Amino acid sequence: MNGSHTSYTNLTKNESLAKYVRHVTQIRKQANANSVTGVEFDDFLFIRYLNSETERNTLYSTKAKQFLRLLVRKRRKFLSYVCIVSTIFCLVVYRNETSNLFMKNIQNYIYPLMSVWRLLTLPIIKVFPGLTELYDESCLVSNPFFQVKDLDCRPCAGVINVLDLSTVPHNTENVPHIFKTNQSTVDIKTLNDIYMNHLDVFVNDANRVQSTNRNIKTLKDLFTDFLNDTHQLESHTLWRCNRMNPAQILRQIIPKPKRLPTSGMSIERYLAIDTASAPPYRIPDVDCSAIFIIQLKGTRTILLRPTAECKQKCRTISVRLPQSYVLNYNWWYWKPISLPDHITKQPSISYIGAFC
């Protein structure tokens, strides 16, 4: 972006556009290296080059800057239209999916239409590469008010505590229980080592995290914060992984417990990384309803609350989940909350997965 300013003060629209594309390409490479993508990149571009009256902003004339601002706004508006049209299309298909006549008529057109749709969206993906993160999403917008009418609550109605079935053969998915495994300890250093050894995979496919610590936005931030000797801020961080490549890498250090089904495992999984006194938080739901939580390090107390449909028939129960133990439950009947363990006072790492 450095250079003589005087030669850019009278650019035409086409010249401004060509220069803009060239500069954006250079900036995007720097932004991708710092995990800045999508809308965040547009905001960065607006604030730094198109909106402020700084010296660097004199690279463009006033007329050119107005045109470039309009261009970025139109990109955003176009993306919004695409999302609205996609949502309407999904709603129409969902509304008519029970109609045999409708499905029969469109059956031969589904794949050709999807191919055309893919070709139409390729230019958008090139401009907004961050949208590829939505490819593996089974649900883009969840409904917090969703309830199942007349849900059979008998599987949880008679449950008064969480059983330890470590030494007892069992074949139940609905009744919550725990059992001990041979899972070795996985601490933050172990995760950092596997992250550094497969940096390209995790940066591309599973780099973002959600944390109560505002300074933690990526895996690099997380490991830097936890491996810092001066770390003092209590925090809860949730690392989500829903792609095949990082999932296979995590499986090297977190194998599936032998007592779980051998098939039907969900690709989506979470790692909850908590300090000793991390605040309580709700365990996220996974695609499949049969949830398991492997305690990789430390201890957490899990409070299992019945769902809204079953709260009149089932009671709230709790269990202390020590290291190397697994909690198994079904989210149709239970919505757990993870609480800090006040006995051990140790950091905690929990692995959350599911099977169908």
Side-chain angles (χ1 to χ4, degrees):
M1 298 298 292
N2 296 328
S4 175
H5 295 176
T6 58
S7 60
Y8 303 134
T9 55
N10 294 311
L11 295 176
T12 65
K13 286 186 178 181
N14 289 336
E15 291 172 338
S16 297
L17 181 59
K19 186 174 181 58
Y20 167 77
V21 171
R22 186 168 65 254
H23 287 171
V24 167
T25 301
Q26 296 173 359
I27 300 171
R28 188 178 292 279
K29 292 180 180 179
Q30 301 175 8
N32 289 337
N34 293 278
S35 302
V36 178
T37 59
V39 177
E40 294 179 358
F41 177 78
D42 280 351
D43 293 338
F44 170 78
L45 196 63
F46 254 120
I47 294 172
R48 190 164 184 180
Y49 295 104
L50 298 181
N51 206 30
S52 61
E53 298 299 333
T54 59
E55 182 179 356
R56 67 167 63 92
N57 209 23
T58 58
L59 287 171
Y60 301 102
S61 64
T62 302
K63 185 177 180 181
K65 285 187 291 184
Q66 292 176 351
F67 170 69
L68 295 178
R69 281 196 292 265
L70 179 63
L71 177 65
V72 175
R73 290 194 181 100
K74 284 185 177 296
R75 285 169 54 199
R76 290 185 175 184
K77 187 177 294 186
F78 179 69
L79 179 61
S80 301
Y81 289 155
V82 170
C83 293
I84 293 173
V85 171
S86 301
T87 303
I88 294 175
F89 175 78
C90 293
L91 289 174
V92 170
V93 173
Y94 176 77
R95 184 178 180 84
N96 294 276
E97 66 179 354
T98 56
S99 172
N100 292 331
L101 180 61
F102 177 80
M103 294 302 295
K104 182 177 180 179
N105 290 335
I106 70 168
Q107 195 70 35
N108 295 330
Y109 301 98
I110 291 179
Y111 288 104
L113 286 174
M114 294 303 294
S115 298
V116 173
W117 178 252
R118 178 180 177 275
L119 293 175
L120 292 175
T121 56
L122 282 178
I124 304 175
I125 296 299
K126 291 180 180 179
V127 178
F128 300 99
L131 290 176
T132 57
E133 297 177 5
L134 304 178
Y135 177 80
D136 300 290
E137 298 288 346
S138 60
C139 179
L140 297 180
V141 180
S142 60
N143 181 4
F145 305 103
F146 171 77
Q147 291 189 14
V148 178
K149 186 178 181 181
D150 300 327
L151 177 65
D152 184 5
C153 297
R154 285 180 294 179
C156 69
V159 177
I160 59 176
N161 54 28
V162 179
L163 300 177
D164 185 349
L165 302 180
S166 299
T167 59
V168 180
H170 63 93
N171 186 22
T172 178
E173 298 177 3
N174 294 330
V175 179
H177 55 272
I178 63 173
F179 58 90
K180 185 174 177 54
T181 68
N182 295 323
Q183 172 66 50
S184 58
T185 302
V186 176
D187 56 16
I188 199 71
K189 186 179 183 304
T190 305
L191 294 177
N192 180 63
D193 291 342
I194 198 169
Y195 166 74
M196 296 303 298
N197 291 334
H198 304 85
L199 190 61
D200 56 336
V201 174
F202 286 110
V203 169
N204 291 330
D205 293 336
N207 191 41
R208 293 187 179 184
V209 298
Q210 296 179 346
S211 178
T212 57
N213 183 346
R214 295 183 179 180
N215 296 323
I216 300 177
K217 296 181 180 180
T218 65
L219 287 177
K220 181 180 179 180
D221 299 335
L222 173 68
F223 297 132
T224 300
D225 186 77
F226 269 80
L227 295 175
N228 188 349
D229 293 336
T230 61
H231 174 83
Q232 294 179 347
L233 183 63
E234 299 293 345
S235 64
H236 157 63
T237 302
L238 194 65
W239 174 20
R240 180 171 179 262
C241 171
N242 69 327
R243 292 190 174 184
M244 182 64 71
N245 289 337
Q248 291 176 340
I249 296 173
L250 288 176
R251 196 178 301 164
Q252 298 174 11
I253 58 174
I254 314 172
K256 180 180 66 66
K258 295 180 180 180
R259 299 186 68 161
L260 296 181
T262 57
S263 61
M265 298 295 295
S266 172
I267 296 180
E268 184 181 23
R269 72 257 348 256
Y270 294 86
L271 273 170
I273 304 169
D274 307 311
T275 57
S277 299
Y281 56 88
R282 184 180 176 276
I283 301 294
D285 293 335
V286 188
D287 290 343
C288 299
S289 60
I291 308 291
F292 63 89
I293 303 175
I294 307 175
Q295 194 62 28
L296 303 177
K297 179 177 175 56
T299 302
R300 293 288 288 186
T301 298
I302 309 297
L303 187 70
L304 290 100
R305 301 182 303 173
T307 57
E309 298 91 332
C310 297
K311 64 181 180 181
Q312 301 299 328
K313 299 179 181 179
C314 307
R315 66 178 68 186
T316 299
I317 55 179
S318 64
V319 63
R320 187 169 179 262
L321 192 63
Q323 186 169 301
S324 299
Y325 271 77
V326 176
L327 169 63
N328 200 185
Y329 67 91
N330 194 308
W331 60 245
W332 282 114
Y333 311 107
W334 309 99
K335 298 296 181 183
I337 294 178
S338 180
L339 305 169
D341 183 67
H342 296 291
I343 300 177
T344 58
K345 289 289 184 180
Q346 293 181 355
S348 165
I349 300 179
S350 305
Y351 179 86
I352 304 164
F355 55 91
C356 301

PDB file of all heavy atoms in Angstrom, residues 16-38:
ATOM      1  N   SER A  16      -9.760   2.754 -10.230  1.00  0.00           N
ATOM      2  CA  SER A  16      -9.916   2.585  -8.783  1.00  0.00           C
ATOM      3  C   SER A  16     -10.261   1.146  -8.434  1.00  0.00           C
ATOM      4  O   SER A  16      -9.748   0.570  -7.472  1.00  0.00           O
ATOM      5  CB  SER A  16     -11.008   3.526  -8.256  1.00  0.00           C
ATOM      6  OG  SER A  16     -10.661   4.876  -8.452  1.00  0.00           O
ATOM      7  N   LEU A  17     -11.151   0.556  -9.252  1.00  0.00           N
ATOM      8  CA  LEU A  17     -11.559  -0.826  -9.000  1.00  0.00           C
ATOM      9  C   LEU A  17     -10.389  -1.781  -9.164  1.00  0.00           C
ATOM     10  O   LEU A  17     -10.170  -2.671  -8.337  1.00  0.00           O
ATOM     11  CB  LEU A  17     -12.688  -1.216  -9.952  1.00  0.00           C
ATOM     12  CG  LEU A  17     -13.243  -2.636  -9.809  1.00  0.00           C
ATOM     13  CD1 LEU A  17     -13.772  -2.856  -8.404  1.00  0.00           C
ATOM     14  CD2 LEU A  17     -14.337  -2.893 -10.827  1.00  0.00           C
ATOM     15  N   ALA A  18      -9.581  -1.599 -10.215  1.00  0.00           N
ATOM     16  CA  ALA A  18      -8.423  -2.476 -10.433  1.00  0.00           C
ATOM     17  C   ALA A  18      -7.413  -2.339  -9.291  1.00  0.00           C
ATOM     18  O   ALA A  18      -6.874  -3.331  -8.798  1.00  0.00           O
ATOM     19  CB  ALA A  18      -7.761  -2.131 -11.767  1.00  0.00           C
ATOM     20  N   LYS A  19      -7.187  -1.102  -8.859  1.00  0.00           N
ATOM     21  CA  LYS A  19      -6.245  -0.881  -7.767  1.00  0.00           C
ATOM     22  C   LYS A  19      -6.791  -1.445  -6.461  1.00  0.00           C
ATOM     23  O   LYS A  19      -6.068  -2.028  -5.651  1.00  0.00           O
ATOM     24  CB  LYS A  19      -5.964   0.620  -7.626  1.00  0.00           C
ATOM     25  CG  LYS A  19      -4.879   0.944  -6.605  1.00  0.00           C
ATOM     26  CD  LYS A  19      -4.549   2.416  -6.628  1.00  0.00           C
ATOM     27  CE  LYS A  19      -3.450   2.737  -5.639  1.00  0.00           C
ATOM     28  NZ  LYS A  19      -2.217   1.979  -5.903  1.00  0.00           N
ATOM     29  N   TYR A  20      -8.104  -1.283  -6.270  1.00  0.00           N
ATOM     30  CA  TYR A  20      -8.756  -1.804  -5.062  1.00  0.00           C
ATOM     31  C   TYR A  20      -8.611  -3.321  -4.974  1.00  0.00           C
ATOM     32  O   TYR A  20      -8.255  -3.876  -3.936  1.00  0.00           O
ATOM     33  CB  TYR A  20     -10.223  -1.397  -5.082  1.00  0.00           C
ATOM     34  CG  TYR A  20     -11.092  -2.107  -4.085  1.00  0.00           C
ATOM     35  CD1 TYR A  20     -11.081  -1.751  -2.738  1.00  0.00           C
ATOM     36  CD2 TYR A  20     -11.943  -3.130  -4.496  1.00  0.00           C
ATOM     37  CE1 TYR A  20     -11.884  -2.402  -1.820  1.00  0.00           C
ATOM     38  CE2 TYR A  20     -12.746  -3.788  -3.580  1.00  0.00           C
ATOM     39  CZ  TYR A  20     -12.713  -3.415  -2.248  1.00  0.00           C
ATOM     40  OH  TYR A  20     -13.508  -4.067  -1.350  1.00  0.00           O
ATOM     41  N   VAL A  21      -8.866  -4.022  -6.090  1.00  0.00           N
ATOM     42  CA  VAL A  21      -8.773  -5.485  -6.100  1.00  0.00           C
ATOM     43  C   VAL A  21      -7.344  -5.927  -5.803  1.00  0.00           C
ATOM     44  O   VAL A  21      -7.113  -6.878  -5.039  1.00  0.00           O
ATOM     45  CB  VAL A  21      -9.233  -6.035  -7.458  1.00  0.00           C
ATOM     46  CG1 VAL A  21      -8.936  -7.534  -7.562  1.00  0.00           C
ATOM     47  CG2 VAL A  21     -10.712  -5.792  -7.656  1.00  0.00           C
ATOM     48  N   ARG A  22      -6.363  -5.230  -6.388  1.00  0.00           N
ATOM     49  CA  ARG A  22      -4.972  -5.585  -6.157  1.00  0.00           C
ATOM     50  C   ARG A  22      -4.578  -5.387  -4.691  1.00  0.00           C
ATOM     51  O   ARG A  22      -3.926  -6.230  -4.080  1.00  0.00           O
ATOM     52  CB  ARG A  22      -4.067  -4.746  -7.064  1.00  0.00           C
ATOM     53  CG  ARG A  22      -2.589  -5.164  -6.988  1.00  0.00           C
ATOM     54  CD  ARG A  22      -1.781  -4.531  -8.098  1.00  0.00           C
ATOM     55  NE  ARG A  22      -1.720  -3.075  -7.964  1.00  0.00           N
ATOM     56  CZ  ARG A  22      -2.390  -2.221  -8.735  1.00  0.00           C
ATOM     57  NH1 ARG A  22      -3.199  -2.685  -9.687  1.00  0.00           N
ATOM     58  NH2 ARG A  22      -2.287  -0.923  -8.570  1.00  0.00           N
ATOM     59  N   HIS A  23      -5.006  -4.280  -4.105  1.00  0.00           N
ATOM     60  CA  HIS A  23      -4.690  -4.003  -2.708  1.00  0.00           C
ATOM     61  C   HIS A  23      -5.407  -4.958  -1.763  1.00  0.00           C
ATOM     62  O   HIS A  23      -4.843  -5.436  -0.784  1.00  0.00           O
ATOM     63  CB  HIS A  23      -5.056  -2.554  -2.370  1.00  0.00           C
ATOM     64  CG  HIS A  23      -4.114  -1.550  -2.957  1.00  0.00           C
ATOM     65  ND1 HIS A  23      -4.368  -0.198  -2.926  1.00  0.00           N
ATOM     66  CD2 HIS A  23      -2.927  -1.700  -3.599  1.00  0.00           C
ATOM     67  CE1 HIS A  23      -3.369   0.445  -3.515  1.00  0.00           C
ATOM     68  NE2 HIS A  23      -2.495  -0.451  -3.940  1.00  0.00           N
ATOM     69  N   VAL A  24      -6.683  -5.249  -2.075  1.00  0.00           N
ATOM     70  CA  VAL A  24      -7.454  -6.157  -1.225  1.00  0.00           C
ATOM     71  C   VAL A  24      -6.835  -7.544  -1.219  1.00  0.00           C
ATOM     72  O   VAL A  24      -6.785  -8.228  -0.194  1.00  0.00           O
ATOM     73  CB  VAL A  24      -8.927  -6.215  -1.672  1.00  0.00           C
ATOM     74  CG1 VAL A  24      -9.651  -7.383  -1.002  1.00  0.00           C
ATOM     75  CG2 VAL A  24      -9.632  -4.924  -1.335  1.00  0.00           C
ATOM     76  N   THR A  25      -6.348  -7.994  -2.365  1.00  0.00           N
ATOM     77  CA  THR A  25      -5.695  -9.303  -2.446  1.00  0.00           C
ATOM     78  C   THR A  25      -4.476  -9.360  -1.534  1.00  0.00           C
ATOM     79  O   THR A  25      -4.247 -10.352  -0.827  1.00  0.00           O
ATOM     80  CB  THR A  25      -5.266  -9.598  -3.891  1.00  0.00           C
ATOM     81  OG1 THR A  25      -6.427  -9.569  -4.730  1.00  0.00           O
ATOM     82  CG2 THR A  25      -4.623 -10.971  -3.990  1.00  0.00           C
ATOM     83  N   GLN A  26      -3.696  -8.280  -1.524  1.00  0.00           N
ATOM     84  CA  GLN A  26      -2.527  -8.238  -0.653  1.00  0.00           C
ATOM     85  C   GLN A  26      -2.925  -8.220   0.815  1.00  0.00           C
ATOM     86  O   GLN A  26      -2.352  -8.932   1.644  1.00  0.00           O
ATOM     87  CB  GLN A  26      -1.685  -6.995  -0.983  1.00  0.00           C
ATOM     88  CG  GLN A  26      -1.106  -6.998  -2.390  1.00  0.00           C
ATOM     89  CD  GLN A  26      -0.416  -5.681  -2.736  1.00  0.00           C
ATOM     90  OE1 GLN A  26      -0.390  -4.768  -1.934  1.00  0.00           O
ATOM     91  NE2 GLN A  26       0.126  -5.602  -3.942  1.00  0.00           N
ATOM     92  N   ILE A  27      -3.931  -7.412   1.139  1.00  0.00           N
ATOM     93  CA  ILE A  27      -4.364  -7.302   2.535  1.00  0.00           C
ATOM     94  C   ILE A  27      -5.006  -8.602   3.006  1.00  0.00           C
ATOM     95  O   ILE A  27      -4.850  -9.024   4.151  1.00  0.00           O
ATOM     96  CB  ILE A  27      -5.348  -6.127   2.707  1.00  0.00           C
ATOM     97  CG1 ILE A  27      -4.679  -4.816   2.304  1.00  0.00           C
ATOM     98  CG2 ILE A  27      -5.840  -6.019   4.149  1.00  0.00           C
ATOM     99  CD1 ILE A  27      -5.633  -3.644   2.234  1.00  0.00           C
ATOM    100  N   ARG A  28      -5.748  -9.279   2.103  1.00  0.00           N
ATOM    101  CA  ARG A  28      -6.429 -10.516   2.510  1.00  0.00           C
ATOM    102  C   ARG A  28      -5.423 -11.594   2.892  1.00  0.00           C
ATOM    103  O   ARG A  28      -5.667 -12.395   3.797  1.00  0.00           O
ATOM    104  CB  ARG A  28      -7.333 -11.018   1.388  1.00  0.00           C
ATOM    105  CG  ARG A  28      -8.229 -12.175   1.791  1.00  0.00           C
ATOM    106  CD  ARG A  28      -9.131 -12.609   0.665  1.00  0.00           C
ATOM    107  NE  ARG A  28     -10.128 -11.620   0.335  1.00  0.00           N
ATOM    108  CZ  ARG A  28     -11.259 -11.458   1.006  1.00  0.00           C
ATOM    109  NH1 ARG A  28     -11.510 -12.218   2.058  1.00  0.00           N
ATOM    110  NH2 ARG A  28     -12.130 -10.557   0.637  1.00  0.00           N
ATOM    111  N   LYS A  29      -4.276 -11.630   2.205  1.00  0.00           N
ATOM    112  CA  LYS A  29      -3.245 -12.597   2.568  1.00  0.00           C
ATOM    113  C   LYS A  29      -2.754 -12.345   3.985  1.00  0.00           C
ATOM    114  O   LYS A  29      -2.560 -13.276   4.766  1.00  0.00           O
ATOM    115  CB  LYS A  29      -2.083 -12.513   1.577  1.00  0.00           C
ATOM    116  CG  LYS A  29      -2.422 -12.992   0.171  1.00  0.00           C
ATOM    117  CD  LYS A  29      -1.215 -12.872  -0.752  1.00  0.00           C
ATOM    118  CE  LYS A  29      -1.555 -13.350  -2.162  1.00  0.00           C
ATOM    119  NZ  LYS A  29      -0.409 -13.213  -3.085  1.00  0.00           N
ATOM    120  N   GLN A  30      -2.574 -11.071   4.331  1.00  0.00           N
ATOM    121  CA  GLN A  30      -2.155 -10.739   5.689  1.00  0.00           C
ATOM    122  C   GLN A  30      -3.263 -11.058   6.695  1.00  0.00           C
ATOM    123  O   GLN A  30      -3.010 -11.562   7.787  1.00  0.00           O
ATOM    124  CB  GLN A  30      -1.796  -9.249   5.775  1.00  0.00           C
ATOM    125  CG  GLN A  30      -0.679  -8.829   4.831  1.00  0.00           C
ATOM    126  CD  GLN A  30      -0.436  -7.330   4.842  1.00  0.00           C
ATOM    127  OE1 GLN A  30      -1.006  -6.619   5.658  1.00  0.00           O
ATOM    128  NE2 GLN A  30       0.403  -6.864   3.930  1.00  0.00           N
ATOM    129  N   ALA A  31      -4.511 -10.776   6.297  1.00  0.00           N
ATOM    130  CA  ALA A  31      -5.632 -11.031   7.201  1.00  0.00           C
ATOM    131  C   ALA A  31      -5.812 -12.519   7.460  1.00  0.00           C
ATOM    132  O   ALA A  31      -6.057 -12.946   8.594  1.00  0.00           O
ATOM    133  CB  ALA A  31      -6.915 -10.436   6.621  1.00  0.00           C
ATOM    134  N   ASN A  32      -5.696 -13.353   6.406  1.00  0.00           N
ATOM    135  CA  ASN A  32      -5.853 -14.802   6.584  1.00  0.00           C
ATOM    136  C   ASN A  32      -4.787 -15.362   7.514  1.00  0.00           C
ATOM    137  O   ASN A  32      -5.034 -16.288   8.289  1.00  0.00           O
ATOM    138  CB  ASN A  32      -5.783 -15.512   5.234  1.00  0.00           C
ATOM    139  CG  ASN A  32      -7.004 -15.252   4.388  1.00  0.00           C
ATOM    140  OD1 ASN A  32      -8.062 -14.916   4.920  1.00  0.00           O
ATOM    141  ND2 ASN A  32      -6.884 -15.402   3.090  1.00  0.00           N
ATOM    142  N   ALA A  33      -3.590 -14.788   7.439  1.00  0.00           N
ATOM    143  CA  ALA A  33      -2.519 -15.246   8.331  1.00  0.00           C
ATOM    144  C   ALA A  33      -2.820 -14.929   9.789  1.00  0.00           C
ATOM    145  O   ALA A  33      -2.303 -15.568  10.698  1.00  0.00           O
ATOM    146  CB  ALA A  33      -1.197 -14.587   7.928  1.00  0.00           C
ATOM    147  N   ASN A  34      -3.716 -13.950  10.014  1.00  0.00           N
ATOM    148  CA  ASN A  34      -4.102 -13.578  11.385  1.00  0.00           C
ATOM    149  C   ASN A  34      -5.539 -13.976  11.708  1.00  0.00           C
ATOM    150  O   ASN A  34      -6.148 -13.436  12.630  1.00  0.00           O
ATOM    151  CB  ASN A  34      -3.938 -12.070  11.578  1.00  0.00           C
ATOM    152  CG  ASN A  34      -2.487 -11.639  11.537  1.00  0.00           C
ATOM    153  OD1 ASN A  34      -1.772 -11.731  12.532  1.00  0.00           O
ATOM    154  ND2 ASN A  34      -2.033 -11.177  10.381  1.00  0.00           N
ATOM    155  N   SER A  35      -6.093 -14.925  10.914  1.00  0.00           N
ATOM    156  CA  SER A  35      -7.439 -15.479  11.150  1.00  0.00           C
ATOM    157  C   SER A  35      -8.515 -14.411  11.088  1.00  0.00           C
ATOM    158  O   SER A  35      -9.514 -14.473  11.813  1.00  0.00           O
ATOM    159  CB  SER A  35      -7.493 -16.183  12.517  1.00  0.00           C
ATOM    160  OG  SER A  35      -6.544 -17.190  12.584  1.00  0.00           O
ATOM    161  N   VAL A  36      -8.338 -13.404  10.235  1.00  0.00           N
ATOM    162  CA  VAL A  36      -9.360 -12.381  10.016  1.00  0.00           C
ATOM    163  C   VAL A  36     -10.037 -12.693   8.691  1.00  0.00           C
ATOM    164  O   VAL A  36      -9.426 -12.598   7.633  1.00  0.00           O
ATOM    165  CB  VAL A  36      -8.746 -10.970   9.980  1.00  0.00           C
ATOM    166  CG1 VAL A  36      -9.813  -9.920   9.700  1.00  0.00           C
ATOM    167  CG2 VAL A  36      -8.048 -10.666  11.291  1.00  0.00           C
ATOM    168  N   THR A  37     -11.311 -13.087   8.726  1.00  0.00           N
ATOM    169  CA  THR A  37     -12.009 -13.484   7.515  1.00  0.00           C
ATOM    170  C   THR A  37     -13.412 -12.911   7.517  1.00  0.00           C
ATOM    171  O   THR A  37     -13.878 -12.349   8.499  1.00  0.00           O
ATOM    172  CB  THR A  37     -12.101 -15.017   7.410  1.00  0.00           C
ATOM    173  OG1 THR A  37     -12.789 -15.525   8.569  1.00  0.00           O
ATOM    174  CG2 THR A  37     -10.731 -15.650   7.315  1.00  0.00           C
ATOM    175  N   GLY A  38     -14.111 -13.053   6.376  1.00  0.00           N
ATOM    176  CA  GLY A  38     -15.514 -12.708   6.290  1.00  0.00           C
ATOM    177  C   GLY A  38     -15.803 -11.255   6.608  1.00  0.00           C
ATOM    178  O   GLY A  38     -15.143 -10.329   6.145  1.00  0.00           O
TER     179      GLY A  38
END
